[in-house]
Amino acid sequence: MAGTVAVLKTSPVHVGGQLDESRAYFHRLFWTFPPCIEAFHHCKPLISIDGTHLYGKYGETLLIAIAQDGNSNILPVAFALVEGENAESWSFFISHLREHVTSQPGLLVISNRHNGIKAALEAPDGGWLPPSAYRAFCIRYVAANFAFTFKGKDARRLLVNATYAKTEVEFHYWFDILRSEDLAMCDWANRIEYSLWTQHCDEGRRFGHMTTNISECVNSILKGVRNVPVCSLVKATYGRLAELFVRKGREAEAQMGTGQQFSQHLVKCIEANLKTARCFTVTMYDRDNSEFTVAETTPTGSFSLGSYRVLLASQTCDCGYFQALHFPCPHALACCAYSRLTWEPYVHQVYRLSSVFSVYRMGFTPPIPEGFWPPYDGPIVIPDPNKRRAREGRSRSTRIRTNMDEADPNRPKRCGLCQQPGHTRRSCPQLGGAEHTRGHD
């Protein structure tokens, strides 16, 4: 496909101490496709990066950059096949990602706390330093590191609650409880800059995304092709992205045909805010600048839930939801109803259905058959035998296990063939005949 970006890095081959110029070892590969590059301009201004190990003959790692559109659909935008997660490989991936895909200023990168990612993002000439770009940590990894030092689910829950707090008052409420549990916990958290792991200090750049879970979703989708050769892996990403663009493009087009202006995700959020079972008393203080106070009470009016300042002009509310999620919170909707204003102008452009449709507007074209490729004049790229996995034994897992990897001990084991409890694959009744007999033997 014209416009496809593929950056291949090789290493020299030496035979008997002499350089073999006719061959080269495969080292690293970065690739992305034109529809992905164009689509990212209409997605949320953030990107999630993560790596996943491959299961083939060679110990390679697949690095992925994931974006999300205004309808909460995840979209892989770039890939890299490298020797492992280290400073050099992450620098290779992130530098080409910035050069070819994420050239917009002010982007947010969500990742784990890997030292290789840190070194690549903090490079002076990498283009990832503020104000060109900002970094944020995945809260799941922060909480896992915290739990490794301080045992107990209650302490971890308090840290996560403080992390998700959208206002400074709410953050200090949970942080003070954590301080009363153990002062050392607060000292541990204070060693990390607040803008990297708290929502109330991110200035709305996260759009509510606190983890790299969208990357984990793509990892599961690619699980079936993580043991195939390089060429098949690249073809798989091309084919599955082409299918994704067709399906999501048709969905967005069908929604636009109904006359809707905003994505289904936003419409559901607004409807939920409008149906909230609370009573609001709105007072206007400045008509020109649209400044209000909203007193919130229970439906019976017997209990006050607080008072909030709402500034529609600057799209802020004391509850923090307006500036964090970039669409009106219940208090802002109450102010719009009080002033007979429509809430549509206070929604971020990314949530508009026209933006979602633009994400998938540029489709993929059928790949050119290999017989019609132009002639290649260069060394033959071969796999590096030094990177081949050991033939015997199961490879040791380097994954850092978290609470999401913990299995339920009370869950019954199921057969790998029929998924029914009470027996295993070896004794499965579906095998039948001699195979079933051998399974019992």
Side-chain angles (χ1 to χ4, degrees):
M1 186 176 183
T4 298
V5 177
V7 182
L8 174 65
K9 294 294 183 181
T10 60
S11 55
V13 176
H14 291 87
V15 179
Q18 299 294 326
L19 177 64
D20 185 356
E21 296 183 355
S22 64
R23 296 184 299 172
Y25 287 138
F26 176 89
H27 187 41
R28 296 175 185 147
L29 174 65
F30 171 91
W31 74 95
T32 184
F33 307 111
C36 298
I37 299 174
E38 175 63 25
F40 186 72
H41 291 85
H42 308 283
C43 292
K44 296 176 182 178
L46 59 88
I47 199 160
S48 172
I49 57 176
D50 201 2
T52 180
H53 295 286
L54 302 184
Y55 302 144
K57 294 182 179 179
Y58 298 87
E60 299 288 335
T61 300
L62 180 65
L63 306 182
I64 312 175
I66 313 295
Q68 190 182 58
D69 65 16
N71 201 25
S72 295
N73 297 314
I74 58 176
L75 175 66
V77 295
F79 307 87
L81 197 59
V82 297
E83 70 279 11
E85 293 189 66
N86 53 56
E88 292 78 14
S89 61
W90 274 114
S91 178
F92 169 79
F93 176 59
I94 290 176
S95 61
H96 288 292
L97 177 67
R98 188 62 166 167
E99 178 182 357
H100 301 292
V101 183
T102 60
S103 57
Q104 303 94 317
L107 296 177
L108 179 71
V109 181
I110 304 178
S111 67
N112 57 36
R113 299 174 64 191
H114 195 281
N115 290 331
I117 301 177
K118 180 178 183 295
L121 294 177
E122 293 180 355
D125 55 348
W128 293 100
L129 295 176
S132 299
Y134 300 86
R135 186 188 181 192
F137 291 149
C138 171
I139 303 309
R140 186 166 55 86
Y141 285 94
V142 173
N145 293 337
F146 177 83
F148 182 79
T149 305
F150 304 99
K151 306 301 180 181
K153 294 184 179 180
D154 291 339
R156 175 179 176 149
R157 177 182 56 82
L158 292 174
L159 179 72
V160 172
N161 289 345
T163 297
Y164 275 84
K166 294 178 174 60
T167 63
E168 185 177 3
V169 174
E170 184 183 0
F171 169 79
H172 286 295
Y173 169 79
W174 293 110
F175 211 63
D176 289 341
I177 299 177
L178 190 67
R179 184 180 290 108
S180 64
E181 294 285 335
D182 189 348
L183 185 60
M185 297 179 182
C186 295
D187 294 337
W188 184 95
N190 285 329
R191 287 196 292 268
I192 309 174
E193 187 178 345
Y194 278 7
S195 61
L196 297 176
W197 64 281
T198 64
Q199 188 167 202
H200 81 282
C201 289
D202 70 351
E203 298 182 5
R205 297 188 182 95
R206 284 183 179 262
F207 279 74
H209 292 271
M210 303 301 294
T211 67
T212 56
N213 285 350
I214 57 176
S215 299
E216 298 294 343
C217 294
V218 174
N219 290 347
S220 63
I221 294 173
L222 295 176
K223 190 173 184 179
V225 298
R226 286 162 61 183
N227 58 348
V228 299
V230 175
C231 293
S232 300
L233 177 61
V234 176
K235 289 179 181 178
T237 59
Y238 190 90
R240 296 191 181 192
L241 281 172
E243 180 184 357
L244 175 69
F245 270 66
V246 171
R247 185 173 70 254
K248 296 301 180 181
R250 287 177 177 175
E251 292 177 3
E253 187 176 10
Q255 294 172 20
M256 292 185 66
T258 62
Q260 297 183 16
Q261 297 185 18
F262 300 95
S263 66
Q264 289 184 344
H265 170 74
L266 177 76
V267 172
K268 291 180 180 178
C269 293
I270 294 296
E271 289 178 351
N273 290 339
L274 289 173
K275 293 179 181 178
T276 180
R278 287 172 288 185
C279 183
F280 302 108
T281 302
V282 180
T283 304
M284 176 181 291
Y285 282 86
D286 190 331
R287 177 180 293 275
D288 295 333
N289 296 322
S290 301
E291 297 183 4
F292 305 84
T293 60
V294 180
E296 182 178 354
T297 61
T298 57
T300 59
S302 59
F303 184 72
S304 175
L305 299 177
S307 179
Y308 303 88
R309 294 171 300 170
V310 178
L311 282 73
L312 293 180
S314 60
Q315 300 183 16
T316 60
C317 177
D318 283 349
C319 72
Y321 280 79
F322 201 173
Q323 50 268 40
L325 304 179
H326 300 278
F327 57 81
C329 61
H331 312 110
L333 292 174
C335 295
C336 291
Y338 176 84
S339 303
R340 294 183 174 84
L341 298 174
T342 180
W343 52 264
E344 284 86 350
Y346 306 106
V347 176
H348 195 281
Q349 180 67 28
V350 73
Y351 294 110
R352 296 186 179 275
L353 202 53
S354 58
S355 297
V356 177
F357 178 77
S358 297
V359 171
Y360 309 100
R361 181 167 49 191
M362 182 180 181
F364 284 74
T365 59
I368 301 174
E370 189 173 349
F372 294 91
W373 290 359
Y376 169 71
D377 183 16
I380 299 175
V381 181
I382 61 175
D384 189 346
N386 296 323
K387 296 181 181 179
R388 186 162 183 167
R389 297 183 188 274
R391 292 180 179 271
E392 298 181 357
R394 182 175 181 179
S395 58
R396 183 179 180 182
S397 175
T398 58
R399 177 182 178 89
I400 300 175
R401 298 182 65 84
T402 62
N403 62 327
M404 69 178 295
D405 301 305
E406 297 176 359
D408 184 3
N410 298 321
R411 183 179 180 181
K413 294 183 178 181
R414 296 179 179 271
C415 172
L417 291 179
C418 64
Q419 301 300 319
Q420 296 299 319
H423 62 272
T424 63
R425 179 191 294 265
R426 290 177 59 86
S427 59
C428 181
Q430 292 188 5
L431 289 177
E435 293 185 359
H436 180 59
T437 303
R438 284 198 302 269
H440 283 289
D441 292 341

